[in-house]
């Protein structure tokens, strides 16, 4: 057993995921309280030079051709060995399409408790307290971080990625993988995002719609507003799932991160999966009938008018203003 | 092909969430539950697979307020078998406990495929899918938008950030965490749900010995205090629109 904090360094196709830096920032603070080191776990093939700027005390790199791409059951075998061999105080995962499934599987396999949706970990007199966000960010819960070893799946928002970066490359120790066998899951191919449409991550003005738009026909109202103001229509998950807009317009965890000068959020509640992708916007203006919607916590300006009442009037006024 | 879809009901976020005087849970009297949205996609995906390739769909849900409506609605959409899990399901029952209990009920059904919603907003101890798969000893892949079946295997489209998709092949039986069904969940008219209430039957299965040690304990629940709140613009649509146009000018976008 140790007081070390392990961090799963998540990467995809040669790029460290932003969440990895958030995990490092959290781990630094936790290790200071627990009295251990921060250890980055890096699984992959020919990746040991990838971890140049992660703020960890050392990196354990496991290199194997079978780890070249994320395959859940193969990654799980390797991590199970590493974690059970050293019993760290905590293992931090991103609450992502990679980390979330590893954390769940390992929790059952190793019999270790799992804390999910964790936003930050507080240290009070050496005791660690998790703080998680539930109900789409409308409720926070906290409690003692389970001991002796806790698995923690973290969401962004509690730490700046910059806090988890270092200009000093950490020492990298290469660990021999256990005898790996291809499991019951195989990667067939990557399918690139559709191109040909606008790239919403590069647009200066986004007029974004969520569930509040109610039906496909109303999208036209928003398109007219976007056209009037010289912007582009984007959307949150429910609108894309309904097939009302293509996935190229999806803003959020599984879509694009955006950084426009103006993000006009129409009928979007601001669930964490969406909020994390718009925080780099210069100005967010939110329109939502629910005054307690989390979108108003990150927006600079807001109104609780129904978007269907507001948008046609706004489009007209924007057109007049441009004449 | 036997597809089992264990679903969960979660707080409806449109309603005002009230914290119980105990300060550790939501007030059960004002809480309104609804089907976890992603579980709705899992049901839809199961029905689509059945329509394409034949088979049987079993939907199971814990016995909480609103469960009968959820199950009968699934039947109206095409589910063949409905199972209600009976037991003491307070808010303290976590996903580890449910996943373990559900795994024990699913095993004898010998499913080829188990579909769950990829997550719910109340998964404090991780989402159901990976936990359930681990208890069943099945492989798991989550964040799935697109499933095809052939020859004892599922080919799935797993979503990564930025719109990248990984096509993966999974040997059945397997658990898949559904992010979005191939088509949006279908609408069923109330008359068809009422019809299902008359013709479909709900089986009850008792669940005991729920072990919550796989998740953390909650010592405090509270509403987040935002570091900054939006400046609210009040007034009629005409007034708000005028103020927004002013703001657009100030921001230099107009």
């Amino acid at each position: 057993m140790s007081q070390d904090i392990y961090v799963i360094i998540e990467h995809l196709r040669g790029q460290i995921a932003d969440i990895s830096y958030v995990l490092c920032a959290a781990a630094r603070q936790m290790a200071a309280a627990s009295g251990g080191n921060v250890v980055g776990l890096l699984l992959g093939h020919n990746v040991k030079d990838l971890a140049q700027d992660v703020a960890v005390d050392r990196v354990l790199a496991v290199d194997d051709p079978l780890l070249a791409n994320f395959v859940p059951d193969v990654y799980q075998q390797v991590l199970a060995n590493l974690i059970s061999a050293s019993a760290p105080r905590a293992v931090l995962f991103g609450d992502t399409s990679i980390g979330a499934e590893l954390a769940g599987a390992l929790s059952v396999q190793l019999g270790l408790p799992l804390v999910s949706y964790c936003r930050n970990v507080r240290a009070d007199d050496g005791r660690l307290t998790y703080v998680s966000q539930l109900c789409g960010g409308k409720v926070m819960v906290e409690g003692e971080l389970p001991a002796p070893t806790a698995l923690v799946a973290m969401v962004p928002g509690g730490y700046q990625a910059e806090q988890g970066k270092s200009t000093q490359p950490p020492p990298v120790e290469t660990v021999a993988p256990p005898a790996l066998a291809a499991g019951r899951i195989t990667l067939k191919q990557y399918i690139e995002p559709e191109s040909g449409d606008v790239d919403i991550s590069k647009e200066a003005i986004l007029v974004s719609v969520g569930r509040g738009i109610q039906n496909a026909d109303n999208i036209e109202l928003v398109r007219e507003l976007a056209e009037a103001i010289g912007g582009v229509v984007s959307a949150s998950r429910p609108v894309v799932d309904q097939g009302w807009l293509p996935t190229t317009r999806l803003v959020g965890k599984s879509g694009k991160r955006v950084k426009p000068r103006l993000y006009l959020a129409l009928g979007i509640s601001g669930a964490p999966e969406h909020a994390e992708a718009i925080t780099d916007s210069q100005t967010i203006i939110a329109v939502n009938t629910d005054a307690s919607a989390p979108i108003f916590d990150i927006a600079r300006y807001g109104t609780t008018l129904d978007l269907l009442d507001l948008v046609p009037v706004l489009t007209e006024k924007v057109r007049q203003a441009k004449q | 092909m036997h597809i089992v879809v264990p679903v969960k009901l979660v707080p409806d976020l449109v309603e005002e969430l009230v914290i119980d005087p105990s300060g550790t849970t939501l007030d059960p009297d004002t809480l309104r539950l609804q089907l976890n949205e992603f579980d709705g996609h899992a049901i839809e995906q199961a029905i689509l697979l059945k329509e394409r390739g034949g088979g049987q769909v079993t939907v199971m849900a814990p016995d909480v307020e609103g469960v009968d409506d959820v199950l009968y609605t699934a039947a109206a959409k095409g589910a063949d078998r409905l199972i209600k899990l009976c037991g003491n399901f307070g808010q303290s029952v976590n996903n580890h406990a449910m996943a373990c209990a559900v795994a024990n009920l699913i095993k004898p059904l010998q499913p080829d495929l188990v579909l769950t919603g990829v997550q719910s907003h109340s998964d404090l101890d991780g989402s159901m899918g990976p936990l359930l798969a681990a208890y069943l000893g099945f492989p798991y892949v989550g964040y799935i938008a697109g499933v095809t079946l052939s020859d004892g295997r599922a080919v799935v489209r797993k979503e990564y950030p930025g719109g990248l998709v990984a096509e993966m092949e999974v040997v059945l039986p397997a658990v898949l965490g559904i992010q979005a069904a191939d088509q949006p969940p279908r609408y069923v008219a109330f008359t068809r749900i009422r019809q299902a209430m008359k013709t479909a039957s709900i089986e009850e299965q008792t669940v005991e010995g729920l072990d919550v040690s796989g998740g953390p304990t909650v010592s405090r629940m509270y509403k987040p205090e935002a570091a900054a709140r939006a400046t609210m613009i009040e007034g009629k649509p005409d007034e708000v629109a005028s103020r927004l146009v002013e703001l657009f000018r100030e921001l230099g976008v107009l």
Side-chain angles (χ1 to χ4, degrees):
Chain A
M1 208 188 99
S2 80
Q3 291 303 317
D4 290 347
I5 309 296
Y6 278 21
V7 171
I8 310 299
I9 302 175
E10 201 172 287
H11 57 94
L12 190 61
R13 305 178 96 200
Q15 275 233 301
I16 303 251
D18 266 351
I19 190 73
S20 300
Y21 300 108
V22 172
L23 302 182
C24 290
R28 297 224 65 75
Q29 187 204 354
M30 291 167 72
S34 71
N37 287 315
V38 177
V39 181
L41 303 185
L42 181 63
L43 277 58
H45 187 44
N46 299 327
V47 286
K48 71 174 172 27
D49 294 331
L50 203 58
Q52 295 289 321
D53 64 345
V54 287
V56 299
D57 296 309
R58 65 194 165 99
V59 170
L60 290 181
V62 187
D63 192 295
D64 192 286
L66 279 176
L67 301 173
N69 292 289
F70 173 66
V71 177
D73 51 354
V74 182
Y75 269 54
Q76 185 190 340
Q77 292 173 45
V78 176
L79 289 173
N81 273 323
L82 289 173
I83 295 165
S84 54
S86 51
R89 175 67 185 89
V91 186
L92 310 189
F93 301 79
D95 205 335
T96 62
S97 48
I98 290 178
E101 46 203 80
L102 289 172
L106 289 163
S107 171
V108 173
Q109 185 187 351
L110 302 175
L112 297 173
L114 169 59
V115 183
S116 201
Y117 285 132
C118 180
R119 203 162 183 278
N120 60 289
V121 177
R122 231 179 31 231
D124 314 300
D125 300 330
R127 285 158 56 108
L128 297 174
T129 300
Y130 75 86
V131 182
S132 289
Q133 60 185 28
L134 296 181
C135 296
K138 285 192 160 185
V139 166
M140 305 299 288
V141 291
E142 61 179 53
E144 200 173 324
L145 189 73
T149 301
L151 306 184
V152 184
M154 299 198 68
V155 293
Y159 302 88
Q160 300 291 330
E162 290 306 314
Q163 297 171 295
K165 286 187 180 168
S166 163
T167 50
Q168 197 80 4
V172 178
E173 182 188 333
T174 304
V175 190
L180 287 180
R184 289 171 286 178
I185 305 168
T186 43
L187 174 72
K188 305 288 284 179
Q189 61 169 331
Y190 286 114
I191 301 165
E192 302 296 331
E194 294 164 46
S195 55
D197 195 8
V198 293
D199 182 353
I200 54 169
S201 68
K202 297 198 171 81
E203 290 292 326
I205 302 173
L206 289 176
V207 180
S208 211
V209 276
R211 199 189 301 275
I213 194 73
Q214 294 177 19
N215 61 55
D217 294 342
N218 290 334
I219 299 277
E220 193 49 36
L221 293 175
V222 177
R223 220 187 294 271
E224 284 170 15
L225 173 59
E227 204 173 307
I229 197 173
V232 158
V233 177
S234 59
S236 66
R237 185 92 219 177
V239 172
V240 171
D241 281 350
Q242 290 294 331
W244 299 341
L245 282 170
T247 48
T248 45
R249 303 297 178 99
L250 176 61
V251 177
K253 188 175 172 182
S254 52
K256 290 250 168 76
R257 286 184 67 87
V258 297
K259 41 184 187 316
R261 287 171 68 186
L262 171 65
Y263 190 80
L264 191 54
L266 306 173
I268 290 175
S269 69
E273 294 78 16
H274 187 79
E276 68 176 70
I278 63 173
T279 47
D280 291 336
S281 306
Q282 266 180 36
T283 303
I284 299 170
I285 300 180
V287 179
N288 198 306
T289 52
D290 176 6
S292 69
I295 191 75
F296 292 122
D297 297 341
I298 53 173
R300 175 114 50 101
Y301 301 96
T303 169
T304 53
L305 286 177
D306 189 321
L307 78 93
L308 299 178
D309 296 330
L310 176 67
V311 168
V313 183
L314 182 58
T315 305
E316 200 43 50
K317 287 206 183 272
V318 168
R319 281 181 186 146
Q320 287 167 9
K322 280 203 159 179
Q323 277 170 5
Chain B
M1 178 63 54
H2 184 192
I3 306 172
V4 178
V5 189
V7 302
K8 124 179 209 186
L9 283 81
V10 294
D12 182 351
L13 299 186
V14 172
E15 303 289 316
E16 171 77 15
L17 298 174
V18 180
I19 294 177
D20 187 77
S22 72
T24 58
T25 61
L26 292 170
D27 172 23
D29 296 331
T30 55
L31 195 59
R32 221 185 73 177
L33 298 174
Q34 63 172 9
L35 178 66
N36 171 33
E37 187 178 354
F38 295 107
D39 289 341
H41 280 269
I43 292 174
E44 182 63 33
Q45 186 64 65
I47 306 280
L48 289 171
L49 290 170
K50 175 188 154 181
E51 286 171 350
R52 281 182 216 147
Q56 192 197 1
V57 173
T58 301
V59 177
M60 49 173 70
D63 181 15
V64 293
E65 190 151 353
V67 63
D68 287 3
D69 285 347
V70 164
L71 289 173
Y72 285 128
T73 304
K77 291 180 174 187
D80 304 281
R81 192 173 168 194
L82 313 173
I83 299 176
K84 181 154 73 177
L85 312 178
C86 300
N88 189 10
F89 303 114
Q91 288 177 59
S92 61
V93 173
N94 62 22
N95 279 355
H96 278 74
M98 279 308 293
C100 186
V102 167
N104 288 333
L105 293 176
I106 286 181
K107 267 178 210 157
L109 301 178
Q110 297 188 303
D112 301 288
L113 193 57
V114 179
L115 301 183
T116 66
V118 65
Q119 64 184 51
S120 86
H121 58 64
S122 300
D123 295 335
L124 179 57
D125 61 325
S127 60
M128 277 294 277
L131 303 175
L132 186 56
Y135 285 120
L136 285 167
F138 291 0
Y140 173 82
V141 186
Y143 291 83
I144 303 297
V147 183
T148 49
L149 299 175
S150 71
D151 224 9
R153 285 157 201 275
V155 174
V156 299
R157 291 165 65 100
K158 178 181 176 69
E159 292 195 344
Y160 284 124
L164 181 70
V165 168
E167 191 178 76
M168 290 185 173
E169 189 175 79
V170 192
V171 177
L172 303 183
V175 181
L176 302 178
I178 303 297
Q179 166 93 51
D182 296 347
Q183 289 169 26
R186 67 194 69 192
Y187 170 79
V188 282
F190 182 65
T191 48
R192 287 188 52 202
I193 299 171
R194 213 165 43 190
Q195 182 74 20
M197 285 176 178
K198 288 182 192 146
T199 53
S201 63
I202 295 177
E203 298 166 43
E204 297 191 354
Q205 299 222 18
T206 306
V207 171
E208 282 168 335
L210 293 164
D211 176 8
V212 298
S213 63
T217 51
V218 174
S219 59
R220 181 171 167 238
M221 177 183 276
Y222 53 99
K223 299 275 184 79
E225 279 172 31
R229 282 283 290 179
T231 304
M232 299 305 278
I233 306 166
E234 311 288 344
K236 298 204 170 78
D238 189 56
E239 295 157 345
V240 173
S242 295
R243 176 71 187 119
L244 287 176
V245 167
E246 277 173 38
L247 282 173
F248 294 161
R249 283 217 177 92
E250 286 167 29
L251 296 169
V253 294
L254 203 65

